[in-house]
Amino acid sequence: MTPTQCPELEVLFTELEVGEGPALEHAAACPLCSAILEEHRQLEKDLYRLADPLPPPALVATVMARVAVEPPPLRRELWAGVSILAVSLFTGLGLLISNDRALSHLGLALASLVSDGKSLALDLANGGSALWNIAAGPITAILLSMLFVCLFGLKRLAGSPPPLTEA
Ligand SMILES: [Zn+2]
């Protein structure tokens, strides 16, 4: 290739990708080839802009500010808390009004979780009412702790009222 002869466009663009080569050196001095390269750069820029529009520079800051201002989905969480509270209350009521036998079975399950299961299982084999006497304390404690957890959750939810101006 002589200096006056323009390279093939394919060779020119291949060397443009690589970043160096005799065709590129020629294009730097040749107005025709540099015009072609400039046109190619513009087209490439337009293509990139079409395929991947740049986000505004302040996008992240804007999003973070909106996230900070946006109230959490309070209504839904409140309903979840209320339903959990209702379920635990009904469970407690159901425990209280169910018969001795059911209490004994539940007592076995709970008591084996909170204390030595083997000896309590032996107690159940000896007599259900004896187990209820043993397990009544753990059951009450568990129910009370469930209730307090629910109440605490509700209080925390209610503690952050939604900003009315945002609605
Ligand atoms: Zn040329």
Side-chain angles (χ1 to χ4, degrees):
M1 163 168 49
T2 64
T4 52
Q5 199 175 16
C6 288
E8 295 277 329
L9 281 183
E10 201 180 326
V11 177
L12 191 62
F13 290 140
T14 306
E15 289 183 10
L16 186 68
E17 291 281 317
V18 177
E20 59 178 3
L24 267 187
E25 281 167 25
H26 160 86
C30 170
L32 194 70
C33 289
S34 52
I36 290 173
L37 280 184
E38 182 56 30
E39 195 183 354
H40 177 75
R41 282 202 191 91
Q42 287 297 332
L43 273 175
E44 209 174 44
K45 220 160 75 179
D46 287 347
L47 269 177
Y48 274 126
R49 206 178 298 152
L50 276 178
D52 183 23
L54 283 174
L59 180 75
V60 175
T62 313
V63 168
M64 291 315 284
R66 279 200 65 176
V67 166
V69 167
E70 200 87 6
L74 185 85
R75 188 174 289 263
R76 208 182 56 201
E77 286 179 31
L78 194 66
W79 275 113
V82 167
S83 50
I84 290 173
L85 184 66
V87 165
S88 52
L89 279 178
F90 276 114
T91 307
L93 280 176
L95 269 178
L96 287 177
I97 62 178
S98 61
N99 59 48
D100 267 358
R101 201 190 154 115
L103 276 177
S104 297
H105 279 288
L106 192 68
L108 173 67
L110 288 174
S112 61
L113 282 179
V114 296
S115 64
D116 187 12
K118 259 185 186 175
S119 61
L120 284 171
L122 283 174
D123 282 342
L124 181 73
N126 293 336
S129 55
L131 181 83
W132 168 239
N133 290 335
I134 296 167
I139 290 177
T140 311
I142 287 172
L143 285 178
L144 278 178
S145 61
M146 272 175 72
L147 187 69
F148 276 115
V149 165
C150 290
L151 284 176
F152 180 72
L154 278 175
K155 202 180 167 191
R156 266 195 58 177
L157 282 176
S160 55
L164 293 172
T165 51
E166 284 300 310

